[in-house]
Amino acid sequence: FQSTSDLETVPGWSPIAARSSLVRNYTVGLQQGLGRAELRLEAYHKDFEHRFPEVSVPTGLTGSGNVTLNAASTGWAEGAEALLRVHAWGPFSGWISYAWSSVLRSSGQGGYYDADFSQPHVGNLVLQAALPRHWTVGGRWRLASGIPYTPVLSRSYNLATGRWTPVFGATNSQRLPVYDRLDLRLEKRWDSEGAWWQSVTAYVELINTLDAENITSVTYEDDYSGIRRIRQFPRLVFGGLELAF
């Protein structure tokens, strides 16, 4: 079931129209052992289109006028993922995966656009190596499509209000740059010899090792003369201790 839309929960607006909506979800998968490795394939299709019929209800606020509730945020999502996991190859282990997805939405106005935060292509590579004396080194590399955003095509100045008014392009018609992130981790474990605790692990991690400028969102200047790109975070280093008992 989907949740009701915002307008359907406003008191006095649409008590006669509030309802839930069924969503159909189809998934098929395959898992195959390959000796020390394992291959998994999965595909899905989720259909949440045409679930809310258009309903015209009184606003209930001014005593006159109506508001039309439509199938806002309808559409569908589909995708597939392939994952190859190596459980043990000498001291090495890890996995590699690739996922493709298409998530389309509609505002009930006709036509579809890429959903917010959708990433059609996502790839991951994770490797770990067990070293002597309980040392372990590992890393993860993630490469993904940039999320979509709605561009500003032009602007005009309103003399009456003294403000700039933007002219937006098609919804989510442009994408941010590709997301690229490499994380590294080094850890050392000490096992107990009959004590109340089992092990202590010290680790240090280097996040966004290559200091990639991963842009996660954009905003515009107050007069829409320029765009501001907001990055996720720069290179980070942190460490910690893990106690098992």
Side-chain angles (χ1 to χ4, degrees), residues 101-104 113-121 145-148 172 175:
S101 65
S102 175
V103 185
L104 298 179
Y113 54 85
D114 289 333
D116 297 341
F117 308 109
S118 68
Q119 295 176 293
H121 306 283
S145 303
I147 62 176
N172 288 347
R175 287 188 172 274

Side-chain angles (χ1 to χ4, degrees), residues 60-145:
L61 299 178
T62 62
S64 63
N66 295 294
V67 61
T68 299
L69 306 180
N70 54 32
S73 298
T74 59
W76 65 86
E78 58 188 7
E81 181 177 17
L83 182 145
L84 178 63
R85 182 185 300 275
V86 179
H87 297 291
W89 185 27
F92 299 99
S93 62
W95 50 271
I96 183 172
S97 69
Y98 167 74
W100 168 84
S101 65
S102 175
V103 185
L104 298 179
R105 306 294 269 182
S106 169
S107 296
Q109 307 297 325
Y112 294 89
Y113 54 85
D114 289 333
D116 297 341
F117 308 109
S118 68
Q119 295 176 293
H121 306 283
V122 178
N124 286 283
L125 175 62
V126 176
L127 292 176
Q128 180 174 283
L131 305 178
R133 300 181 181 274
H134 300 299
W135 284 91
T136 302
V137 61
R140 174 179 177 175
W141 179 47
R142 179 182 177 90
L143 189 66
S145 303

Side-chain angles (χ1 to χ4, degrees), residues 3-236:
S3 301
T4 55
S5 64
D6 295 339
L7 283 179
E8 290 177 316
T9 61
V10 176
W13 277 50
S14 54
I16 63 173
R19 68 195 72 182
S20 294
S21 175
L22 283 174
V23 176
R24 294 166 298 199
N25 189 20
Y26 308 92
T27 305
V28 59
L30 172 67
Q31 181 172 323
Q32 175 65 51
L34 302 172
R36 297 178 180 179
E38 175 188 17
L39 176 65
R40 295 177 58 186
L41 303 173
E42 185 172 307
Y44 70 92
H45 177 86
K46 183 178 181 180
D47 183 3
F48 36 88
E49 186 179 7
H50 302 313
R51 296 292 86 199
F52 280 118
E54 289 192 356
V55 179
S56 180
V57 297
T59 61
L61 299 178
T62 62
S64 63
N66 295 294
V67 61
T68 299
L69 306 180
N70 54 32
S73 298
T74 59
W76 65 86
E78 58 188 7
E81 181 177 17
L83 182 145
L84 178 63
R85 182 185 300 275
V86 179
H87 297 291
W89 185 27
F92 299 99
S93 62
W95 50 271
I96 183 172
S97 69
Y98 167 74
W100 168 84
S101 65
S102 175
V103 185
L104 298 179
R105 306 294 269 182
S106 169
S107 296
Q109 307 297 325
Y112 294 89
Y113 54 85
D114 289 333
D116 297 341
F117 308 109
S118 68
Q119 295 176 293
H121 306 283
V122 178
N124 286 283
L125 175 62
V126 176
L127 292 176
Q128 180 174 283
L131 305 178
R133 300 181 181 274
H134 300 299
W135 284 91
T136 302
V137 61
R140 174 179 177 175
W141 179 47
R142 179 182 177 90
L143 189 66
S145 303
I147 62 176
Y149 70 97
T150 302
V152 170
L153 301 181
S154 62
R155 58 180 184 146
S156 60
Y157 186 72
N158 190 322
L159 293 175
T161 63
R163 296 181 179 180
W164 288 91
T165 300
V167 176
F168 289 99
T171 303
N172 288 347
S173 57
Q174 292 189 12
R175 287 188 172 274
L176 298 176
V178 171
Y179 185 95
D180 181 9
R181 177 174 151 189
L182 174 66
D183 301 336
L184 299 176
R185 177 184 173 105
L186 177 67
E187 65 178 47
K188 163 71 173 176
R189 190 186 79 248
W190 293 269
D191 295 326
S192 70
E193 298 180 358
W196 61 270
W197 52 276
Q198 295 181 357
S199 66
V200 174
T201 302
Y203 67 89
V204 59
E205 291 189 355
L206 183 58
I207 306 300
N208 193 14
T209 306
L210 303 179
D211 198 24
E213 191 179 24
N214 292 314
I215 307 301
T216 58
S217 61
V218 297
T219 60
Y220 292 91
E221 303 291 347
D222 293 340
D223 60 357
Y224 297 95
S225 60
I227 190 172
R228 299 176 184 174
R229 296 173 176 261
I230 302 174
R231 66 179 298 182
Q232 186 180 45
F233 46 72
R235 182 186 296 115
L236 297 175

